[in-house]
Amino acid sequence: KPIEHKSVKILSLGFVSPKSGVPGSGPDGGAAVMRGPMAGRVVTQLLKGTDWGDLDVLVLDLPPGTGDVQLTICQDLQLSGAV
């Protein structure tokens, strides 16, 4: 389940990975380095493996890179729109 605060649900790799680079996520605090295909699989797993409940809007803050993650999301999920 995602963390919920004032009816806003959030989830981050930093909440589930001790090597994500998010302060407090692990003893080393190093960045999570992933190439395109692996990053795409991780994002898809976080999206599909999370019980989001009913959502009106889903906002994704995606990692910079070649667009592999964005392409994976467009291919694997049913989107009604994107900006």
Side-chain angles (χ1 to χ4, degrees), residues 38-76:
M38 179 180 271
R41 286 191 299 272
V42 168
V43 170
T44 299
Q45 183 177 355
L46 287 173
L47 290 172
K48 289 184 172 182
T50 301
D51 180 8
W52 292 100
D54 292 330
L55 296 176
D56 294 323
V57 176
L58 177 64
V59 177
L60 302 175
D61 181 15
L62 300 172
T66 61
D68 290 334
V69 174
Q70 292 84 344
L71 289 172
T72 300
I73 290 170
C74 289
Q75 293 169 349
D76 290 352

